Amino acid sequence: MGVNSNEIDIFRDSPVRYLGYANEVGEAFRSLVKKVFVHASYGVAIAYVLVDTGDKAKKQYDKPELLGGGVRPAFVAAGDTLLWQMFASVIIPGLTINRICWATAQGLKAAKFPRSPARLWAPTIIGLASIPLIIHPIDNFVHMLMDKSYRKYVR
């Protein structure tokens, strides 16, 4: 995206990055908490995405024109960050964890696993355990998708 690679990016290289995963945690707990908490987790993740988008746009805008600064490059950087983050941090992972938890619950029900705290918590535990496993494949897929679409046409 044109940001100095030697610079520490608080939104990508620090624990702040985990705010982007708030909705996956919300989805994992969906069967145990009120929907308002799941919706709030999406609010946290989307707020993270919007702040990161603004940060990348400002950094690009502030560069000298000679190095790709200005209004158009800032809009391109904002679009790239917004699309990438929404797909890689919110939409695809949220849907993936939602379906993993749903499938786990359905599998336990179909296997006639007795109603118990274990049956109640299993979808959440499996959903939480799945988060680290899905991050890199989704990130790589979204990078590929962005390279073949948005990035191809705006550069």
Side-chain angles (χ1 to χ4, degrees):
M1 249 181 313
V3 177
N4 182 354
S5 60
N6 296 329
E7 182 181 329
I8 300 263
D9 182 348
I10 190 170
F11 298 102
R12 309 270 171 99
D13 305 322
S14 79
V16 171
R17 173 69 183 109
Y18 296 114
L19 292 174
Y21 303 128
N23 64 304
E24 285 98 307
V25 173
E27 284 295 347
F29 279 94
R30 182 181 283 274
S31 65
L32 299 174
V33 300
K34 293 182 178 185
K35 285 184 183 177
V36 68
F37 294 110
V38 178
H39 296 162
S41 74
Y42 274 88
V44 170
I46 291 169
Y48 161 82
V49 168
L50 294 175
V51 173
D52 186 30
T53 298
D55 176 66
K56 299 306 174 290
K58 183 178 180 339
K59 284 179 180 173
Q60 198 67 42
Y61 179 83
D62 288 345
K63 285 184 172 188
E65 251 183 76
L66 180 71
L67 298 175
V71 175
R72 185 184 187 287
F75 272 107
V76 170
D80 190 282
T81 303
L82 181 64
L83 288 169
W84 191 90
Q85 286 282 22
M86 284 302 293
F87 281 106
S89 297
V90 181
I91 298 168
I92 297 172
L95 179 62
T96 302
I97 296 300
N98 177 287
R99 296 294 82 195
I100 288 170
C101 293
W102 177 85
T104 301
Q106 293 303 308
L108 291 170
K109 187 176 174 183
K112 300 195 185 320
F113 196 85
R115 287 185 176 264
S116 66
R119 180 173 161 182
L120 182 66
W121 277 88
T124 298
I125 293 167
I126 290 171
L128 290 171
S130 299
I131 294 170
L133 304 175
I134 69 170
I135 292 169
H136 293 298
I138 290 172
D139 286 358
N140 292 336
F141 171 72
V142 174
H143 274 303
M144 185 265 312
L145 189 65
M146 293 288 291
D147 287 346
K148 292 183 180 212
S149 60
Y150 182 82
R151 292 174 182 156
K152 184 177 180 178
Y153 295 105
V154 299
R155 304 261 186 236

